[in-house]
């Protein structure tokens, strides 16, 4: 956590393959969470600060 401390992996000593798979999965999931939080914060900015109707246009597109 913020490089303040580290926890040893329960997989490192027993099975290095499982450790590597868990490490890759964690990296992918952490990146996905970061991107999701960024998109959510951008949506909140448009709704609360800009009030430009972007969310309304995204959720209910204009009928042609």
């Amino acid at each position: 956590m913020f490089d303040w401390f580290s926890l040893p992996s329960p997989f490192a000593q027993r099975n290095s393959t499982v450790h590597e798979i868990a490490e890759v999965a964690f990296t992918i999931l952490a990146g996905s969470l970061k991107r999701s939080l960024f998109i959510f914060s951008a949506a909140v900015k448009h709704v609360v600060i800009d009030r430009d109707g972007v969310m309304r246009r995204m959720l209910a597109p204009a009928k042609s």
Side-chain angles (χ1 to χ4, degrees), residues 27-45:
T27 303
I28 291 170
L29 292 173
S32 298
L33 180 62
K34 287 178 189 177
R35 287 178 188 87
S36 297
L37 289 175
F38 177 74
I39 291 169
F40 177 75
S41 64
V44 169
K45 177 199 169 275

Side-chain angles (χ1 to χ4, degrees), residues 9 25 42 58:
S9 172
M58 286 172 50

Side-chain angles (χ1 to χ4, degrees), residues 7-20 22-23:
L7 297 174
S9 172
F11 306 116
Q13 300 300 327
R14 290 182 275 177
N15 193 342
S16 63
T17 305
V18 174
H19 171 76
E20 294 298 322
E23 191 173 293

